[in-house]
Every structure is written in C-alpha cells, then in structure tokens.
Amino acid sequence: MPIRPSLALVMALALAAAANAEELPQVTGVEFQPLAAQAARIVEALDALGQPLSSAARERLAKALKLTNQDAAAQEIQEVFDPLCLVGVEINPEGRVKVAPGEAAPALVQHGWRAFLVKVHNQAGLTSQLRLTSPNAAPLYTRSSGKPDPKPTVPLSEVPHRWLDASTFDDRPLTRTLSGLPLEYRVIQLYSRDAGRREARLKFDAGQGTQDLASRSDVDLLFQCEAAAQLSVNVKDVDGKPTTASFVVRDALGRVCPSQSRRLAPDFFFHPQVYRADGESILLAPGTYTVEVGRGPEYLAETRTVVIPPGKSRVEESFQLKRWVHPAELGWYSGDHHVHAAGCSHYESPTEGVTPEDMMRHIVGENLDVGCVLAWGPCWYAQKSYFGGKVHPLSTPSTLMRYDVEVSGFPSSGSGHLCLLRLTEDDYPGTTRIEEWPSWDLPVLKWGKSQGGVVGYSHSGWGLAIKDTKIPSEEVPPFDGIGANEYIVDVVHDAVDFISAVDTPAPWELNIWYHTLNCGYRCRISGETDFPCIYDEKVGLGRSYVNLGGQKLDFDTWVKGIKEGRSYVSDGKSHLVGFKVNGLGVGEAGSETRIAAPGKVKATARVFARLEPQITPATEAIRSKPLHDQPYWDVERARVGATRKVPVELIVNGQSVARREVEADGSEHDVEFDVDIDRSSWVALRVYPSSHTNPVFVVVDGKPIRASRKSAEWCLKSVDQCWSQKQKLIRAADLPAAQAAYDVARKAYASIRDESAAD
C-alpha cells in the first residue's frame, strides 16, 4: 500500500498553501488532443515517482477527458493540474522565461524527494530542454585539484545555504525536451537535507539567451521541511558485541538515501553506503526502503525491507552480522596500507580532505584490523598535521589506524610512488616544502628505512604494462608510469621491503616481482587499495593478512610482518592461511628452509574461498573482463567454468607446477602438495587473481637462488629501459648519484645472469 502523508505534513501543506498560493493564469486556445495525451503521461510519471494523483483528482481528470466541449476540457485539465504546480513558467514570444509562484504548497520532507508540477505557457513554441537550477542546490564541495595547499572555493559558511537537491524529471514517459505546444506540464523533483523552514531560489531557462533580463526567471520560495524519522540501528558482531557496519539504503525507486550530493563527512558523497555504529541512526523520510548491510568481504551481506511509517519519529532495526571466514581468529590480521583522507575523489573544500574520525569510521566499518592513512601531495600541509609518528589515539585494541606518507606529488613521483610506513619523521631532512624533496626514489627509500620505517612501492603495475598474460613474461614493459618502476634498481640496493599488489592488473604487478625473486632478491608482496584513487568504492578492497604469531594486535608487529613476508595478499574473498613448506611457516626464520640436496618438499595450507552459489550477469561481467580492467583482483575471475570451484596453484620460481581445485563455499579446505625441487627456489601459493602468499625460500646445498637466466636478462634490459624513461625527470644535481645506482644494478643483474643456468 502507498504510504500516506503524515498529519503534520498535511497541516503544513494546508497552512503553506493558504499563505502562499497564487492562481496561475488559464491558457486559452489550447488544442485538446495533444494536451490530453500529455496529461496522461503526467499521471503515469507521478505514478512512477510514487506520488500518484489523489482519487478525486483522477476521477475529475477522467471526466474532463470525456467532455465533448474541447475548450472546456482543456480548462478542466488545467484546474486539475494547476493546484499541483509549484511554479508557473511563461516563455514569451521572444523566448524570454518568466517564473511565478504556483498554487502548490512549498512543503518538503527532510531526506525525502517530492515531485511538483510546473505549468509551462510556451508562447515561443520552443522545443529545447526546460532547465532548473538553484544556488541552494549548488555543490557542497570542490573535488580535489591535487594541490598541496589549495584555496577553498566552498567555504564552510556556505554549507547551511546549500540544502537543496533540485532536478527536472525528463525520463519516460515524459520527453526530454519541451513539445513546442503552447501549454504543457513538466515535473520537477526537490529534496531537502534539512528540517524546518528553508528558503530557496529556483531559476528556470530553456537554453542560452532565454533568461529574463529583469531576473524574472527566478522565484524565491519559503519551504516548510518536515523532520525525517530516525532509523536507529542496533548492530552486533558475530560475538554479540556492538560494532560498525556499512548500510546502503535505497527507496522504492532505487534512489540512494540520504542523497549523496548533500553529504559531507563522515558520509562520503562518492559512496552509496554510509557507516553507522551500534545505536546510531540514519535520517529517512516516510517510505519503504531496501537496506543492504555488510562489513567487508569476510561477512555475508544481508538485505531487508524497512518501512518508515508516516508520523513516526523513530524506527528501530536490529542487525546480527554473520561471517563466512574469520582470519583474525586464526591469527591472521587484515590491513590496507594505502588509503588517503585527501585527494582524488575526496573534496578539498569546504575542508581540506576529511578528518581521522571520518577515516576511522570507514576502517572499522570495513572490518580492517589495520588502516594506514597516507598523507601525500593533495592537501599535504593540512593532512600532515595528523601525523604523529605512532598509532593514532582513535585506535582501539581491535582496530589500529596510523598516519604515514605516500611519496606522490613529490619530485620523485615519476620514478614510482612510495609507501613509507612506521615513520618517526615525515619531512625529508633539510626540506620544508614538497618541491625540495629528492627527484628520484632511492634516497627517499633509504631515509625511510634509516628511521626504522617499512617502505615499498605503491600501485605497482602502472608503467609496467605487458600484453602477455603468461607470467613471468620476457616482454619488457615501457617503465613509463608511477608504479614500481625504479624498483628494478632499488631492490638491488636492499632499499625496498615490499611491492604492492591488488590495485593494478595482476600480470603487471606479479611479472616484475617474479623476475626479481628468480634473481634471488627477497622483496615481499603486500596488498593495498589506494583509496579513493584507483578504487573509491571502499577501503580494504586490497588487503594484507599478517600472521602475528599468537601476539595481540600491535602495529609494529603487524608492519614488521609485512617486511618479513609473514603474510598473504587478497581481495578478502579467498584466503591462503598457514602456508608452510616442510613445516616452515611463511615469514618464520626468514622464510628460509634448507635441504642438503635436490629432492621433494611438502607444501601445505588451509584455503578458504567464497563465490556466489550461482553465476549471475553481474558475476559473469567480472569474470569476462580483460585482466587490465577493474576489478583487477577478484575471486570471480578464478571461477572454474560453471562450477563453484577455484584453482589453488603451487608456484615454484614463477611457474605453476601443481594445482588443486577447491569448492569456494566459504568452508575450510586443507591442501597439500609434494613437489620436486632441483635447485634453490622460491615457493608460493596463489588463487589467481584473488590471493597470493609470500614465498618460502628453499635453499639447496647452500646455494643462492638463480632460478632463471631469462629473468636476469629481463631485469638487465629493464634497468636500461627504466633509465631511458626516468633520467629526464631527475634533477641535474641528482643525476650522478642516480647513474651510479643504476650502474650497480646493471652489474648485479649481469653477474646473476652469468651465475644462472640456461632455462
């Protein structure tokens, strides 16, 4: 049943109508037949918008359409529709637009949409689009310009005045443009962010040059906005404790509520979801809503219908969250080491990015155990004020947040962006401005490590594109981007702790990593999202799961686990827990196990994965995309045919040497592999492209890993290719040191090539 307006709203409508109503002039000489057809479409449009004509109005309109006197019928149609018109628009013979208040009461409901009619007297016969604008519907924010010290263009003082959303309804059954008839009715939709009395200026035009010179195309209206109801949410985790969850609320027409365009932090305007803790509320107008509740990829989402009855000021709903996997209970703690509170999809005004309180809400709401918020180029000077060289005070025993640095938007950015974690100082020595930092990466990485930091490359695949989907590939990438480009040099200098994955195409990320592992280097892999830049849907789309060895959650232990490779990376939809080779767990004893001579080793792990039980158009769309299209890592890409299975592959020196298919039903599956190792090698496990462990290094007869001459040759060629792209970006003063560092890398790879047996 449709929900009727509350008594308070009805009274408000009546009072406002009595005070503000103005009769719109009758338009004569109207041809009945096209007006009748348009009237029928208006009725259909109002039905579709969930605001149907009253029974009395429908009956009166039906009678009007049967009148034999067509002039009388046209007049009767106007008498039915005019009381529903918020404004009347007159377009004079010269095409100038003039607007007057209509008879409808200017009454709205907070956080709800209301449709009004507009009476259009089109004396010029225009067939352009009737457009509605309002200074009160202007954007609340200015998106990031990428500048470190932007000048705000939407001051906070403007926020109270920008309370309105306003749009014309131009979808079917209506037309996008005016018909050209002398009389027709259009539909506009208005939304109020606020409750109480609010004034708005509505402005109409029908294209360039139609605005009235005396500003008569504006009308100022005082709206009475009824307060929304509170949807109070009780949110309990699987253990019954209060928590924070993600809520996506849509009305009966599928519109996201509350309106995204009227949101400021902690609700992000580029998200359909909002995050609410147990006992908090979402403001909603009376209506029927679909509510989807979740808390990151380890939880099962729930969808339910919620009704907000008219006249109710508060409705309460309880949500008991359910998991399909709980890595932290198994000792593996999730983290996203690359999220931002400014730049990309964030705004730079009315504030320069968002606050730690806002970021903490999102980190908790997506069930990250650790979130690293990185200050970088955009709004750098404002955001770096939150850096403290330690875990942020908002952290709790179950959720840690720390502010650190991404070197992006700095002079060295062209060589590759850097994640600098666990810093004690966030200004490079001798600098006060971004422009003074080094123009290549190696000095920055060494500086980060010198203060006990854990450092690595961000969004590794950019600049490392290859056409080949088989990895490792002999194809040399262009090295022309901002990913792990100079990594090919810096890994030789033992300056890189990790290379990031999950937020760029998997072949591009893994290819360079596999090649350097084949040369004996032991850089680890870590998962990240680069929120809200590469992905702005939510934090934690790329994750690292770190084994804390039975210790309680602690940032230093967690980030040390990244450095030591005591982890796996994942989209959160598949998990490779407890990977061991010959009983040695990944990250234990330097991840190195030794055997005296070539022979068999045993690899084991506990695997969890979850696919939707049935293939749907949405899941198939993910699987069918090329690997260079988002989402780059997703368990749906690993689905085996039409089954609910995914392949678990054992990787030795970059090659898949064994495979087990497991049911991706969310339950635990133990896998075991026996594999021959004929020389010193690295061994890892993957569900491609959804999750990947760090390697265990199997040292045979004490010899270093020299797995592939082709990999060493690839690395040697790549150093030259990287130099060809990066030397022009490096300052003249920095060039000699950079040239020397590249020469060291060339000599190292040449030596490794000579030490490696032919493939």
Side-chain angles (χ1 to χ4, degrees):
M1 293 179 60
I3 292 179
R4 304 298 179 190
S6 67
L7 179 59
L9 179 57
V10 170
M11 292 179 65
L13 288 170
L15 290 172
N20 298 293
E22 287 191 26
E23 279 196 25
L24 296 172
Q26 287 280 308
V27 179
T28 58
V30 178
E31 293 183 87
F32 168 72
Q33 192 278 330
L35 178 62
Q38 208 258 341
R41 291 197 298 273
I42 289 290
V43 173
E44 189 179 344
L46 293 175
D47 287 344
L49 292 171
Q51 197 172 311
L53 284 180
S54 67
S55 298
R58 282 178 181 272
E59 184 177 343
R60 187 176 178 187
L61 185 61
K63 289 180 179 178
L65 297 179
K66 295 178 182 178
L67 291 176
T68 56
N69 185 325
Q70 295 189 358
D71 290 338
Q75 182 174 339
E76 187 68 9
I77 290 172
Q78 293 179 69
E79 290 181 1
V80 171
F81 282 160
D82 283 6
L84 306 177
C85 292
L86 184 67
V87 296
V89 171
E90 180 184 336
I91 306 174
N92 71 14
E94 289 75 38
R96 298 292 185 185
V97 172
K98 184 171 72 172
V99 181
E103 299 178 38
L108 298 173
V109 181
Q110 184 186 23
H111 289 306
W113 288 91
R114 186 166 178 233
F116 295 92
L117 296 188
V118 175
K119 186 175 186 178
V120 182
H121 185 193
N122 187 357
Q123 300 176 64
L126 297 183
T127 56
S128 52
Q129 187 175 14
L130 183 68
R131 300 186 300 191
L132 166 62
T133 57
S134 172
N136 307 97
L140 278 176
Y141 44 78
T142 302
R143 286 179 179 262
S144 175
S145 64
K147 296 179 179 179
D149 49 356
K151 301 298 184 285
T153 57
V154 181
L156 278 170
S157 59
E158 271 295 300
V159 170
H161 303 292
R162 301 186 181 190
W163 60 273
L164 182 71
D165 259 347
S167 65
T168 57
F169 180 75
D170 300 323
D171 292 334
R172 292 183 179 181
L174 302 184
T175 57
R176 191 177 66 86
T177 61
L178 295 169
S179 65
L181 293 170
L183 173 64
E184 65 182 289
Y185 291 87
R186 306 297 297 184
V187 178
I188 62 172
Q189 299 178 90
L190 302 180
Y191 171 97
S192 174
R193 179 194 63 200
D194 300 340
R197 293 182 178 179
R198 294 292 185 274
E199 183 174 293
R201 173 167 292 180
L202 304 184
K203 181 179 181 66
F204 289 84
D205 71 78
Q208 187 65 35
T210 63
Q211 298 90 343
D212 188 85
L213 298 179
S215 298
R216 289 175 295 183
S217 54
D218 297 343
V219 62
D220 294 317
L221 298 174
L222 179 63
F223 289 87
Q224 178 65 44
C225 308
E226 184 185 29
Q230 290 186 347
L231 172 60
S232 179
V233 294
N234 300 318
V235 190
K236 300 297 188 292
D237 210 340
V238 290
D239 57 3
K241 294 180 180 179
T243 191
T244 299
S246 159
F247 292 84
V248 179
V249 182
R250 298 183 186 273
D251 66 14
L253 296 175
R255 296 177 294 204
V256 173
C257 301
S259 172
Q260 289 175 240
S261 73
R262 296 301 106 190
R263 291 182 186 176
L264 293 176
D267 301 335
F268 295 167
F269 66 89
F270 50 89
H271 281 170
Q273 76 271 20
V274 297
Y275 295 92
R276 293 293 183 268
D278 180 69
E280 293 184 337
S281 61
I282 304 169
L283 292 175
L284 297 172
T288 300
Y289 298 90
T290 300
V291 180
E292 182 180 323
V293 185
R295 194 172 180 246
E298 300 165 21
Y299 285 78
L300 297 171
E302 176 193 353
T303 301
R304 70 170 66 168
T305 299
V306 173
V307 176
I308 308 294
K312 291 277 285 189
S313 61
R314 183 174 178 273
V315 172
E316 188 172 323
E317 290 281 335
S318 296
F319 300 89
Q320 177 65 59
L321 303 182
K322 297 178 181 178
R323 283 182 175 269
W324 65 272
V325 68
H326 198 166
E329 277 198 347
L330 305 174
W332 297 77
Y333 290 83
S334 67
D336 186 346
H337 71 246
H338 188 171
V339 300
H340 296 298
C344 293
S345 291
H346 283 303
Y347 47 68
E348 64 184 20
S349 64
T351 57
E352 292 189 48
V354 299
T355 66
E357 289 80 4
D358 305 323
M359 294 310 303
M360 189 65 176
R361 177 181 292 266
H362 288 243
I363 290 167
V364 175
E366 289 298 328
N367 185 44
L368 283 167
D369 301 308
V370 178
C372 300
V373 184
L374 306 183
W376 63 308
C379 304
W380 163 255
Y381 301 105
Q383 286 290 319
K384 75 190 302 292
S385 67
Y386 301 124
F387 173 82
K390 57 186 177 181
V391 170
H392 195 276
L394 289 173
S395 300
T396 67
S398 60
T399 308
L400 306 179
M401 179 175 68
R402 197 182 198 276
Y403 273 70
D404 271 306
V405 174
E406 182 193 5
V407 180
S408 169
F410 291 68
S412 66
S413 297
S415 296
H417 293 184
L418 306 175
C419 285
L420 308 181
L421 310 177
R422 197 179 175 271
L423 297 180
T424 56
E425 171 57 55
D426 65 342
D427 284 318
Y428 191 83
T431 70
T432 58
R433 303 288 296 178
I434 279 177
E435 296 79 9
E436 299 166 352
W437 282 53
S439 60
W440 62 305
D441 283 335
L442 186 57
V444 180
L445 290 166
K446 287 182 174 180
W447 165 70
K449 289 176 72 70
S450 71
Q451 53 181 300
V454 176
V455 300
Y457 274 87
S458 308
H459 39 67
S460 301
W462 299 144
L464 302 179
I466 53 174
K467 296 178 182 177
D468 201 348
T469 57
K470 182 180 180 297
I471 51 172
S473 168
E474 295 180 49
E475 180 185 347
V476 175
F479 284 86
D480 59 355
I482 56 173
N485 289 201
E486 205 176 81
Y487 163 84
I488 196 66
V489 173
D490 300 335
V491 71
V492 174
H493 294 266
D494 192 28
V496 188
D497 296 317
F498 64 86
I499 184 171
S500 297
V502 187
D503 59 347
T504 54
W508 307 358
E509 298 167 338
L510 297 179
N511 189 50
I512 193 170
W513 186 51
Y514 282 10
H515 278 304
T516 55
L517 289 174
N518 282 349
C519 290
Y521 295 106
R522 296 190 177 186
C523 181
R524 275 30 181 225
I525 193 172
S526 186
E528 65 173 28
T529 299
D530 191 11
F531 172 88
C533 296
I534 293 176
Y535 289 106
D536 66 3
E537 291 95 324
K538 56 190 70 172
V539 300
L541 290 178
R543 298 176 177 225
S544 292
Y545 289 84
V546 179
N547 181 9
L548 298 188
Q551 298 184 48
K552 68 178 182 179
L553 182 61
D554 169 78
F555 183 83
D556 288 347
T557 306
W558 186 87
V559 79
K560 185 180 179 183
I562 296 291
K563 180 176 182 177
E564 295 175 350
R566 198 169 56 250
S567 60
Y568 63 90
V569 303
S570 174
D571 60 355
K573 301 171 186 177
S574 69
H575 298 268
L576 303 168
V577 174
F579 174 56
K580 296 182 179 182
V581 177
N582 281 357
L584 179 77
V586 63
E588 297 175 0
S591 294
E592 180 178 289
T593 184
R594 291 176 171 259
I595 57 178
K600 284 190 179 294
V601 299
K602 184 183 294 293
T604 59
R606 304 161 69 182
V607 179
F608 303 79
R610 187 177 185 280
L611 288 166
E612 291 301 318
Q614 302 296 326
I615 296 174
T616 67
T619 61
E620 190 60 22
I622 293 173
R623 185 167 61 155
S624 63
K625 287 183 176 182
L627 288 171
H628 57 260
D629 284 352
Q630 291 187 5
Y632 303 120
W633 290 52
D634 193 283
V635 73
E636 279 294 342
R637 291 185 177 274
R639 188 190 288 265
V640 178
T643 72
R644 203 187 181 190
K645 294 181 178 181
V646 295
V648 182
E649 298 175 280
L650 186 71
I651 308 300
V652 177
N653 298 333
Q655 304 297 325
S656 177
V657 299
R659 168 184 168 128
R660 302 280 187 275
E661 292 182 2
V662 303
E663 198 75 17
D665 55 5
S667 59
E668 178 181 340
H669 300 274
D670 293 335
V671 296
E672 182 178 304
F673 301 90
D674 291 307
V675 62
D676 289 314
I677 298 294
D678 62 356
R679 53 186 161 168
S680 293
S681 302
W682 61 273
V683 182
L685 211 60
R686 76 185 187 194
V687 176
Y688 183 78
S690 174
S691 55
H692 204 301
T693 71
N694 269 293
V696 171
F697 304 99
V698 181
V699 176
V700 180
D701 191 26
K703 295 179 180 178
I705 294 175
R706 297 291 184 263
S708 168
R709 176 173 289 182
K710 288 181 179 178
S711 283
E713 290 173 344
W714 183 94
C715 290
L716 188 55
K717 292 175 184 176
S718 292
V719 172
D720 289 338
Q721 177 61 25
C722 188
W723 179 252
S724 74
Q725 297 298 308
K726 308 307 178 187
Q727 62 173 323
K728 56 195 172 188
L729 306 176
I730 301 173
R731 293 190 197 106
D734 293 339
L735 273 173
Q739 177 71 71
Y742 275 70
D743 286 343
V744 168
R746 290 186 182 96
K747 291 176 182 177
Y749 289 125
S751 177
I752 292 168
R753 177 196 59 194
D754 296 342
E755 296 167 6
S756 301
D759 292 77

mmCIF file of all heavy atoms in Angstrom, residues 403-427:
data_model
loop_
_atom_site.group_PDB
_atom_site.id
_atom_site.type_symbol
_atom_site.label_atom_id
_atom_site.label_comp_id
_atom_site.label_asym_id
_atom_site.label_seq_id
_atom_site.Cartn_x
_atom_site.Cartn_y
_atom_site.Cartn_z
ATOM 1 N N TYR A 403 48.832 7.271 10.727
ATOM 2 C CA TYR A 403 49.110 8.208 9.640
ATOM 3 C C TYR A 403 50.578 8.096 9.248
ATOM 4 O O TYR A 403 51.467 8.106 10.099
ATOM 5 C CB TYR A 403 48.780 9.645 10.059
ATOM 6 C CG TYR A 403 47.334 10.000 9.821
ATOM 7 C CD1 TYR A 403 46.323 9.441 10.591
ATOM 8 C CD2 TYR A 403 46.957 10.883 8.813
ATOM 9 C CE1 TYR A 403 44.993 9.741 10.375
ATOM 10 C CE2 TYR A 403 45.628 11.200 8.581
ATOM 11 C CZ TYR A 403 44.651 10.625 9.366
ATOM 12 O OH TYR A 403 43.327 10.931 9.141
ATOM 13 N N ASP A 404 50.812 7.949 7.939
ATOM 14 C CA ASP A 404 52.161 7.904 7.402
ATOM 15 C C ASP A 404 52.182 8.647 6.073
ATOM 16 O O ASP A 404 51.369 9.564 5.881
ATOM 17 C CB ASP A 404 52.655 6.455 7.291
ATOM 18 C CG ASP A 404 53.349 5.974 8.569
ATOM 19 O OD1 ASP A 404 54.290 6.649 9.014
ATOM 20 O OD2 ASP A 404 52.944 4.928 9.132
ATOM 21 N N VAL A 405 53.052 8.270 5.136
ATOM 22 C CA VAL A 405 53.293 9.090 3.948
ATOM 23 C C VAL A 405 53.295 8.232 2.690
ATOM 24 O O VAL A 405 53.872 7.143 2.676
ATOM 25 C CB VAL A 405 54.653 9.825 4.064
ATOM 26 C CG1 VAL A 405 54.995 10.561 2.770
ATOM 27 C CG2 VAL A 405 54.631 10.803 5.241
ATOM 28 N N GLU A 406 52.636 8.744 1.638
ATOM 29 C CA GLU A 406 52.895 8.261 0.288
ATOM 30 C C GLU A 406 53.651 9.358 -0.452
ATOM 31 O O GLU A 406 53.185 10.504 -0.517
ATOM 32 C CB GLU A 406 51.621 7.935 -0.490
ATOM 33 C CG GLU A 406 51.960 7.395 -1.881
ATOM 34 C CD GLU A 406 50.794 7.331 -2.847
ATOM 35 O OE1 GLU A 406 49.691 7.795 -2.515
ATOM 36 O OE2 GLU A 406 51.001 6.828 -3.975
ATOM 37 N N VAL A 407 54.789 9.005 -1.010
ATOM 38 C CA VAL A 407 55.556 9.972 -1.792
ATOM 39 C C VAL A 407 54.949 9.989 -3.187
ATOM 40 O O VAL A 407 55.323 9.230 -4.074
ATOM 41 C CB VAL A 407 57.048 9.608 -1.815
ATOM 42 C CG1 VAL A 407 57.826 10.637 -2.628
ATOM 43 C CG2 VAL A 407 57.589 9.532 -0.390
ATOM 44 N N SER A 408 53.975 10.858 -3.337
ATOM 45 C CA SER A 408 53.227 11.038 -4.587
ATOM 46 C C SER A 408 52.888 12.508 -4.682
ATOM 47 O O SER A 408 52.421 13.104 -3.709
ATOM 48 C CB SER A 408 51.962 10.181 -4.569
ATOM 49 O OG SER A 408 51.107 10.517 -5.630
ATOM 50 N N GLY A 409 53.117 13.090 -5.853
ATOM 51 C CA GLY A 409 53.010 14.533 -5.972
ATOM 52 C C GLY A 409 54.280 15.227 -5.517
ATOM 53 O O GLY A 409 54.288 16.440 -5.297
ATOM 54 N N PHE A 410 55.365 14.448 -5.374
ATOM 55 C CA PHE A 410 56.680 14.942 -4.985
ATOM 56 C C PHE A 410 57.610 14.860 -6.201
ATOM 57 O O PHE A 410 57.295 14.193 -7.188
ATOM 58 C CB PHE A 410 57.239 14.102 -3.834
ATOM 59 C CG PHE A 410 56.515 14.271 -2.522
ATOM 60 C CD1 PHE A 410 55.212 13.829 -2.359
ATOM 61 C CD2 PHE A 410 57.141 14.866 -1.441
ATOM 62 C CE1 PHE A 410 54.543 13.974 -1.154
ATOM 63 C CE2 PHE A 410 56.483 15.021 -0.228
ATOM 64 C CZ PHE A 410 55.179 14.579 -0.077
ATOM 65 N N PRO A 411 58.780 15.468 -6.143
ATOM 66 C CA PRO A 411 59.667 15.451 -7.322
ATOM 67 C C PRO A 411 60.028 14.056 -7.824
ATOM 68 O O PRO A 411 60.258 13.868 -9.014
ATOM 69 C CB PRO A 411 60.908 16.201 -6.820
ATOM 70 C CG PRO A 411 60.372 17.148 -5.792
ATOM 71 C CD PRO A 411 59.281 16.386 -5.095
ATOM 72 N N SER A 412 60.079 13.068 -6.951
ATOM 73 C CA SER A 412 60.474 11.716 -7.365
ATOM 74 C C SER A 412 59.312 10.883 -7.877
ATOM 75 O O SER A 412 59.508 9.719 -8.243
ATOM 76 C CB SER A 412 61.122 10.981 -6.186
ATOM 77 O OG SER A 412 60.170 10.756 -5.149
ATOM 78 N N SER A 413 58.115 11.440 -7.928
ATOM 79 C CA SER A 413 56.921 10.651 -8.234
ATOM 80 C C SER A 413 56.996 9.944 -9.574
ATOM 81 O O SER A 413 56.447 8.855 -9.747
ATOM 82 C CB SER A 413 55.678 11.544 -8.191
ATOM 83 O OG SER A 413 55.478 12.065 -6.902
ATOM 84 N N GLY A 414 57.671 10.541 -10.548
ATOM 85 C CA GLY A 414 57.761 9.926 -11.859
ATOM 86 C C GLY A 414 58.523 8.620 -11.861
ATOM 87 O O GLY A 414 58.373 7.798 -12.780
ATOM 88 N N SER A 415 59.356 8.402 -10.854
ATOM 89 C CA SER A 415 60.102 7.141 -10.761
ATOM 90 C C SER A 415 59.276 6.038 -10.124
ATOM 91 O O SER A 415 59.666 4.873 -10.164
ATOM 92 C CB SER A 415 61.384 7.354 -9.946
ATOM 93 O OG SER A 415 62.238 8.263 -10.606
ATOM 94 N N GLY A 416 58.163 6.423 -9.534
ATOM 95 C CA GLY A 416 57.288 5.471 -8.856
ATOM 96 C C GLY A 416 56.876 6.021 -7.502
ATOM 97 O O GLY A 416 57.690 6.613 -6.785
ATOM 98 N N HIS A 417 55.601 5.825 -7.155
ATOM 99 C CA HIS A 417 55.109 6.305 -5.867
ATOM 100 C C HIS A 417 55.526 5.342 -4.761
ATOM 101 O O HIS A 417 55.550 4.118 -4.954
ATOM 102 C CB HIS A 417 53.588 6.446 -5.897
ATOM 103 C CG HIS A 417 53.119 7.514 -6.822
ATOM 104 N ND1 HIS A 417 51.785 7.866 -6.942
ATOM 105 C CD2 HIS A 417 53.794 8.324 -7.678
ATOM 106 C CE1 HIS A 417 51.670 8.839 -7.836
ATOM 107 N NE2 HIS A 417 52.869 9.132 -8.290
ATOM 108 N N LEU A 418 55.781 5.896 -3.578
ATOM 109 C CA LEU A 418 56.311 5.114 -2.466
ATOM 110 C C LEU A 418 55.385 5.171 -1.263
ATOM 111 O O LEU A 418 54.875 6.236 -0.914
ATOM 112 C CB LEU A 418 57.685 5.648 -2.047
ATOM 113 C CG LEU A 418 58.747 5.761 -3.142
ATOM 114 C CD1 LEU A 418 59.999 6.428 -2.586
ATOM 115 C CD2 LEU A 418 59.071 4.398 -3.725
ATOM 116 N N CYS A 419 55.188 4.030 -0.622
ATOM 117 C CA CYS A 419 54.522 3.969 0.676
ATOM 118 C C CYS A 419 55.594 3.907 1.753
ATOM 119 O O CYS A 419 56.413 2.976 1.771
ATOM 120 C CB CYS A 419 53.635 2.730 0.781
ATOM 121 S SG CYS A 419 52.113 2.817 -0.139
ATOM 122 N N LEU A 420 55.594 4.895 2.635
ATOM 123 C CA LEU A 420 56.547 4.942 3.743
ATOM 124 C C LEU A 420 55.768 4.735 5.039
ATOM 125 O O LEU A 420 55.014 5.613 5.466
ATOM 126 C CB LEU A 420 57.284 6.283 3.763
ATOM 127 C CG LEU A 420 57.952 6.724 2.451
ATOM 128 C CD1 LEU A 420 58.669 8.053 2.646
ATOM 129 C CD2 LEU A 420 58.921 5.669 1.933
ATOM 130 N N LEU A 421 55.933 3.585 5.643
ATOM 131 C CA LEU A 421 55.164 3.210 6.832
ATOM 132 C C LEU A 421 56.069 3.196 8.066
ATOM 133 O O LEU A 421 57.267 2.939 7.972
ATOM 134 C CB LEU A 421 54.546 1.819 6.644
ATOM 135 C CG LEU A 421 53.774 1.579 5.341
ATOM 136 C CD1 LEU A 421 53.281 0.137 5.281
ATOM 137 C CD2 LEU A 421 52.615 2.548 5.196
ATOM 138 N N ARG A 422 55.449 3.478 9.197
ATOM 139 C CA ARG A 422 56.144 3.461 10.504
ATOM 140 C C ARG A 422 57.267 4.501 10.568
ATOM 141 O O ARG A 422 58.324 4.269 11.129
ATOM 142 C CB ARG A 422 56.693 2.067 10.818
ATOM 143 C CG ARG A 422 57.050 1.851 12.298
ATOM 144 C CD ARG A 422 57.562 0.439 12.549
ATOM 145 N NE ARG A 422 58.013 0.291 13.921
ATOM 146 C CZ ARG A 422 59.248 0.538 14.344
ATOM 147 N NH1 ARG A 422 60.171 0.951 13.488
ATOM 148 N NH2 ARG A 422 59.574 0.359 15.608
ATOM 149 N N LEU A 423 57.007 5.669 10.001
ATOM 150 C CA LEU A 423 57.978 6.761 10.090
ATOM 151 C C LEU A 423 57.917 7.404 11.472
ATOM 152 O O LEU A 423 56.865 7.420 12.129
ATOM 153 C CB LEU A 423 57.687 7.813 9.030
ATOM 154 C CG LEU A 423 57.800 7.400 7.555
ATOM 155 C CD1 LEU A 423 57.480 8.585 6.661
ATOM 156 C CD2 LEU A 423 59.180 6.839 7.241
ATOM 157 N N THR A 424 59.022 7.969 11.877
ATOM 158 C CA THR A 424 59.022 8.825 13.068
ATOM 159 C C THR A 424 59.102 10.297 12.686
ATOM 160 O O THR A 424 58.804 11.170 13.493
ATOM 161 C CB THR A 424 60.215 8.481 13.984
ATOM 162 O OG1 THR A 424 61.428 8.597 13.239
ATOM 163 C CG2 THR A 424 60.080 7.045 14.507
ATOM 164 N N GLU A 425 59.504 10.570 11.439
ATOM 165 C CA GLU A 425 59.603 11.935 10.921
ATOM 166 C C GLU A 425 59.069 11.928 9.501
ATOM 167 O O GLU A 425 59.420 11.063 8.698
ATOM 168 C CB GLU A 425 61.062 12.403 10.949
ATOM 169 C CG GLU A 425 61.330 13.715 10.235
ATOM 170 C CD GLU A 425 60.495 14.862 10.772
ATOM 171 O OE1 GLU A 425 60.552 15.111 11.992
ATOM 172 O OE2 GLU A 425 59.778 15.488 9.958
ATOM 173 N N ASP A 426 58.198 12.902 9.186
ATOM 174 C CA ASP A 426 57.569 12.890 7.861
ATOM 175 C C ASP A 426 58.086 13.977 6.926
ATOM 176 O O ASP A 426 57.569 14.133 5.823
ATOM 177 C CB ASP A 426 56.046 12.990 7.983
ATOM 178 C CG ASP A 426 55.574 14.310 8.568
ATOM 179 O OD1 ASP A 426 56.383 15.016 9.192
ATOM 180 O OD2 ASP A 426 54.373 14.623 8.419
ATOM 181 N N ASP A 427 59.092 14.718 7.326
ATOM 182 C CA ASP A 427 59.736 15.698 6.445
ATOM 183 C C ASP A 427 61.139 15.218 6.119
ATOM 184 O O ASP A 427 61.950 14.946 7.027
ATOM 185 C CB ASP A 427 59.805 17.079 7.103
ATOM 186 C CG ASP A 427 58.457 17.784 7.089
ATOM 187 O OD1 ASP A 427 57.770 17.719 6.061
ATOM 188 O OD2 ASP A 427 58.100 18.381 8.123
#
